[in-house]
Amino acid sequence: MDMQSILYQVDEGVATITLNRPDKLNAFTADMLGEFRTAIEVAGADENVRAVLVTGAGRAFSAGQDLGDRDFAKSNETPDLSATLASGYHPLIRAITALEKPSVCAVNGVAAGAGANIALHFDIVIAARSAKFIQAFSKIGLIPDSGGTYWLPRLVGPARARALAMLAVPLAADQAAKWGLIWKAVDDNVLLLEARNIARHLATQPTLGLALTKKLMAASFDNDLEAQLAMEAECQKIGGQSEDYKEGVTAFLEKRAPEFKGR
Ligand code: LHQ
């Protein structure tokens, strides 16, 4: 793939997507958002890819929207940020959400603004201990976009979500893990190793079932118990008819390791 701001590599069933504008702390431009989305979609469509790993090059995960594009000293044009969201961020977030494969996000350094909130859409978020999550929006008069007002109250509760958003204080990776914003924080020097191990492990698992699992978890926020039970039954029907279910049960009975295919 010919991309300027994103690196894409497939290895052992894992597609690794690296945000690659390290000199700008991987701040998002319109082109970069488009490339990021393309990479997610390519990984989703490639049957050799069974899991996706996302990380950032250099010392940051992402500083959010590239503010260099918005120099009011050069142009005093009133921007329509809803258009920026609709054309760049929202299609990316929909692509991540629609990905029918497990995903891991390795937050290697500071994640600010949209950079912090895009990370929250991945299934398993693991961060370097030195990483910080900053809802930087309020510092520049904006609201926490890119799904921030959706995930923050759900993950850390409304009281913490409001304070994080309104104070824009950096949340250290360890605290983010304690509060349930992310899965865990690990030492900086083992972040990529751990994240790759998780992604490689997921790539060997019954990924069809994992895709159904994440769909169910996402739907739970909107469903009542009856609707959720009905959806579980529908998804379990699919799981029960999969090759992986047969293989899992057979391997268990034969006392051997299963070989899942994601079908
Ligand atoms: C940057 C940026 C950046 C460009 C650092 N852009 N260059 C969605 C829809 C539409 C529009 C608006 O926004 C959104 C969503 C958003 O994401 S809004 C929030 C945008 N992000 C921010 O407000 C964060 C701005 N950055 C920072 O607060 C700091 O840079 C952080 C806390 C991320 C890192 O601080 P430091 O480690 O002290 O690094 P630094 O500030 O020295 O930055 C290093 C370089 O990166 C520097 O460039 P230079 O040429 O001086 O070395 C910065 O200008 C550049 N950079 N963020 N978002």
Side-chain angles (χ1 to χ4, degrees):
M1 260 187 293
D2 184 24
M3 296 195 288
Q4 307 308 310
S5 316
I6 298 285
L7 302 176
Y8 183 86
Q9 190 201 345
V10 179
D11 184 30
E12 293 185 58
V14 176
T16 301
I17 297 171
T18 307
L19 310 180
N20 193 32
R21 293 183 76 222
D23 51 326
K24 296 287 176 196
L25 304 189
N26 301 320
F28 295 123
T29 60
D31 286 349
M32 184 176 177
L33 289 166
E35 291 181 355
F36 194 176
R37 176 180 135 203
T38 301
I40 296 281
E41 287 172 349
V42 167
D46 183 347
E47 62 182 34
N48 295 316
V49 171
R50 304 267 310 279
V52 173
L53 169 61
V54 174
T55 192
R59 71 177 176 91
F61 176 69
S62 169
Q65 170 75 11
D66 191 323
L67 299 175
D69 289 357
R70 294 255 178 256
D71 190 343
F72 290 106
K74 288 186 189 143
S75 157
N76 210 16
E77 215 177 288
T78 307
D80 177 355
L81 297 188
S82 70
T84 312
L85 291 173
S87 62
Y89 290 89
H90 294 178
L92 167 65
I93 291 163
R94 287 190 195 103
I96 297 168
T97 307
L99 188 64
E100 290 183 338
K101 296 176 184 183
S103 60
V104 178
C105 183
V107 178
N108 51 300
V110 66
N117 292 341
I118 293 289
L120 304 181
H121 295 281
F122 293 96
D123 300 327
I124 297 179
V125 185
I126 166 169
R129 202 147 267 135
S130 69
K132 290 176 175 49
F133 295 81
I134 313 175
Q135 295 297 317
F137 308 87
S138 64
K139 288 188 177 178
I140 54 171
L142 298 181
I143 59 95
D145 62 23
S146 303
T149 61
Y150 181 87
W151 277 122
L152 285 172
R154 283 170 164 81
L155 293 171
V156 302
R160 286 168 174 159
R162 279 195 302 270
L164 287 174
M166 295 171 82
L167 299 174
V169 285
L171 180 68
D174 273 317
Q175 194 66 29
K178 276 190 198 127
W179 282 5
L181 187 75
I182 63 170
W183 167 237
K184 66 174 170 176
V186 298
D187 288 343
D188 289 29
N189 60 343
V190 297
L191 174 74
L192 269 189
L193 185 71
E194 283 230 18
R196 277 201 193 108
N197 283 344
I198 295 172
R200 279 190 190 135
H201 169 73
L202 288 168
T204 65
Q205 294 306 293
T207 43
L208 172 65
L210 298 184
L212 295 168
T213 301
K214 63 194 245 184
K215 195 169 148 182
L216 281 157
M217 297 282 186
S220 77
F221 293 118
D222 302 318
N223 282 341
D224 60 18
L225 178 62
E226 275 307 321
Q228 196 67 16
L229 291 178
M231 198 173 163
E232 284 181 3
E234 260 173 54
C235 291
Q236 203 66 301
K237 181 173 175 176
I238 300 169
Q241 293 173 350
S242 69
E243 287 177 34
D244 284 344
Y245 176 57
K246 266 188 209 153
E247 168 63 8
V249 175
T250 308
F252 175 77
L253 295 175
E254 292 176 357
K255 299 189 188 304
R256 62 171 174 81
E259 278 185 45
F260 295 118
K261 299 277 187 304
R263 294 194 288 263

